[in-house]
Amino acid sequence: MTRERMMGEKLFYLSHLHPEGEMKVTLVLEPRSNISSGGSPLSPSAVSHSDSTSSTQSLSHGGAPELLVGLSYNATTGRLSVEMIKGSHFRNLAVNRAPDTYGKLFLLNSVGQEMSRCKTSIRRGQPNPVYKETFVFQVALFQLSDVTLMISVYNRRTMKRKEMIGWIALGQNSSGEEEQDHWEEMKETKGQQICRWHTLLES
């Protein structure tokens, strides 16, 4: 009764609206749940391409960069699953083109020491990249309230240079109320994936 499931989404720019009168528009929603299925007409590359082409205008928009993250925890196996699903409003501040981005995930213990790390593959030239990558961390139930998950998104400018687009932290040292609420909801749902958008903080 309490679960919500995203059936589809579509980006619609308000600049397309007529200043006067009413306007009826038919929007074809893109089914997020079918993104990873092989039989879907929407392949990951197709979704990535449509996101990047239709959203090049977001380079000039002032929206804050956001990240959609899915969390689930299995107390029996001690597996913390973190899915980096997609980003929004990622900008390349140096040049006026979409950035090449990737995510880094760090799991820290109660005193801030690194327990584990991993990173996504690079998404090239997309202001709204689709990652759909899941990472599993081994965390015992008694440790779950004492760990912090840090997620950082980077723009790779050259082979050696990178700049941070933003970051969030979830768990013991959450970076905000939304992040703390997401973590607590994950613990309460006992194995079900909980997906939430988070606004990235500047480095």
Side-chain angles (χ1 to χ4, degrees):
M1 293 295 289
T2 58
R3 290 188 65 189
E4 294 179 348
R5 182 163 173 262
M6 170 66 78
M7 298 185 67
E9 62 178 359
K10 183 68 176 178
L11 197 62
F12 180 74
Y13 289 101
L14 298 182
S15 58
H16 296 166
L17 290 174
H18 295 309
E20 297 177 1
E22 292 185 356
M23 177 181 176
K24 292 185 178 179
V25 180
T26 300
L27 298 178
V28 180
L29 300 183
E30 297 173 0
R32 178 181 298 168
S33 60
N34 291 340
I35 285 177
S36 59
S37 64
S40 168
L42 281 172
S43 65
S45 61
V47 173
S48 303
H49 180 70
S50 65
D51 268 7
S52 60
T53 52
S54 66
S55 305
T56 46
Q57 295 177 41
S58 68
L59 289 172
S60 58
H61 285 197
E66 295 182 315
L67 186 67
L68 182 60
V69 177
L71 297 177
S72 64
Y73 179 74
N74 187 316
T76 305
T77 60
R79 288 162 64 93
L80 170 65
S81 298
V82 183
E83 183 178 12
M84 237 180 96
I85 303 173
K86 69 184 295 185
S88 175
H89 293 103
F90 289 177
R91 288 184 295 279
N92 191 338
L93 299 178
V95 293
N96 189 27
R97 69 173 182 82
D100 301 338
T101 61
Y102 63 93
K104 277 188 173 182
L105 297 85
F106 298 90
L107 190 68
L108 310 174
N109 64 14
S110 57
V111 293
Q113 294 175 326
E114 184 181 312
M115 299 168 62
S116 183
R117 72 160 65 185
C118 47
K119 71 176 184 177
T120 71
S121 54
I122 296 175
R123 298 296 184 270
R124 302 186 186 280
Q126 298 175 31
N128 305 305
V130 177
Y131 296 99
K132 294 288 287 184
E133 294 189 39
T134 301
F135 304 92
V136 177
F137 300 93
Q138 204 65 36
V139 183
L141 182 59
F142 70 88
Q143 292 179 300
L144 195 58
S145 298
D146 299 328
V147 297
T148 301
L149 173 70
M150 286 197 64
I151 304 177
S152 306
V153 178
Y154 290 90
N155 170 27
R156 195 179 78 159
R157 296 177 58 180
T158 64
M159 290 299 289
K160 295 183 178 180
R161 293 187 63 192
K162 64 181 181 182
E163 61 184 6
M164 184 185 287
I165 291 178
W167 64 279
I168 56 169
L170 305 103
Q172 183 192 37
N173 296 310
S174 290
S175 51
E177 287 187 16
E178 290 184 6
E179 289 71 33
Q180 186 63 40
D181 290 345
H182 192 179
W183 189 263
E184 293 301 326
E185 190 173 357
M186 172 202 71
K187 293 198 295 185
E188 293 169 6
T189 51
K190 299 178 180 178
Q192 294 179 5
Q193 188 188 48
I194 305 296
C195 301
R196 292 283 180 270
W197 282 99
H198 295 278
T199 301
L200 298 180
L201 301 174
E202 293 182 6
S203 56

